Amino acid sequence: MLVRLMYASRAVDSIDHDALLAILRKSKANNPERGVTGVLCFSGGIFLQVLEGGRAGINELYNRIVGDPRHTDVMLLSYEEVGERRFAGWSMGQVNVGRLNPALLLKYSEKAVLDPYAVSGRVSMALLDELVATASIMGQS
Ligand code: FAD
């Protein structure tokens, strides 16, 4: 059975580009053997991540991620059983923040900033869907 989980969190101050790359590298190394796919967006000190895969595996991974000291304020935005994956092509795709169009952010929120804490989970998922549609996700597995 497949599930899709989405959460937001705030990076601790020490997270820089290299630390982000280390998280992505670890994700791409671990996720394929666990059948996990998804995307990770990092902008303005905020993470937005979608994880897809088997129910037990996604729950185990999410609990591990929640305990990771590299971020805080982890907020579960959505969790659902699904019939198919949305991000099957990515062991952990990375949103190309440089291509984050302010108009796209404004379409879904009050200000042109990524703030999943201020919008519904449905809105954050719609934003990620558009990023996939506009080829703004890198790191095809
Ligand atoms: P190791 O990498 O050997 O780590 C052992 C322990 O050390 C773990 O408790 C780990 O959390 C901790 N650790 C490792 N590096 C650091 C560091 N630089 N600073 C502090 N503690 C550290 N992991 C995935 O497998 N898939 C994902 O999709 C994924 N997404 C993530 C998204 C975010 C926003 C964050 C912050 C982390 C994510 N992680 C992901 C990492 C996850 O939290 C675990 O660190 C990782 O899965 C542990 O991998 P491992 O079992 O190979 O242990």
Side-chain angles (χ1 to χ4, degrees):
M1 180 210 303
L2 288 172
V3 301
R4 182 181 304 121
L5 181 157
M6 179 171 56
Y7 73 86
S9 64
R10 297 186 201 281
V12 297
D13 288 345
S14 56
I15 293 292
D16 56 12
H17 184 66
D18 286 348
L20 175 64
L21 285 183
I23 291 170
L24 283 163
R25 227 176 278 125
K26 174 60 73 175
S27 304
K28 286 175 186 168
N30 284 348
N31 291 351
E33 69 188 56
R34 295 176 180 147
V36 172
T37 54
V39 289
L40 178 66
C41 182
F42 180 63
S43 176
I46 291 181
F47 289 112
L48 175 64
Q49 187 174 34
V50 177
L51 300 166
E52 301 175 320
R55 183 169 63 187
I58 293 300
N59 272 276
E60 187 273 327
L61 176 59
Y62 177 66
N63 282 311
R64 186 149 33 93
I65 289 174
V66 168
D68 195 309
R70 290 170 283 188
H71 63 171
T72 181
D73 295 344
V74 181
M75 181 173 286
L76 184 62
L77 300 176
S78 76
Y79 178 88
E80 55 182 338
E81 294 176 358
V82 294
E84 59 187 48
R85 295 174 194 252
R86 277 194 178 135
F87 307 101
W90 293 275
S91 59
M92 191 42 62
Q94 180 189 2
V95 172
N96 185 348
V97 176
R99 290 189 61 174
L100 263 184
N101 184 343
L104 182 57
L105 290 169
L106 274 178
K107 179 176 173 184
Y108 291 107
S109 47
E110 290 176 25
K111 293 181 185 159
V113 290
L114 178 78
D115 188 359
Y117 292 94
V119 298
S120 70
R122 193 181 48 78
V123 161
S124 291
M125 192 63 81
L127 174 66
L128 287 175
D129 279 341
E130 283 218 28
L131 292 171
V132 172
T134 54
S136 304
I137 306 217
M138 306 182 293
Q140 200 95 3
S141 62

